[in-house]
Amino acid sequence: KKETLGQPLVANFITPEYHGPVSFVLLKALHGEETASFELPLVKNGEQKAVLLLNATTRRGPDGEVIGVICVGQDITQINA
């Protein structure tokens, strides 16, 4: 837990071939376009640890302005095994 908090998600925990697609999903959510069921590998210390099914949702403030992104990931590693 301590080694992951505050660390950049894409740079530290996503395999290099997914850096672009994951960044694009997050950018789309920041512009109001949500993504459901995006599959991605999660890594730690350069080794693949899990496969996640990610949903990225826009977070809006009281005035409707985009204030962030909420991502929910489900570990589907065993399903893909």
Side-chain angles (χ1 to χ4, degrees), residues 57-73:
T57 304
T58 303
R59 174 81 167 114
R60 296 186 182 274
D63 297 331
E65 77 279 7
V66 176
I67 60 171
V69 174
I70 298 172
C71 292
V72 176

Side-chain angles (χ1 to χ4, degrees), residues 21-32:
V22 171
S23 294
F24 184 63
V25 164
L26 296 175
L27 186 62
K28 285 190 335 182
L30 282 171
H31 287 96

Side-chain angles (χ1 to χ4, degrees), residues 45-59:
N45 299 325
E47 268 186 58
Q48 185 170 333
K49 296 293 183 183
V51 177
L52 297 183
L53 192 61
L54 181 78
N55 293 321
T57 304
T58 303
R59 174 81 167 114

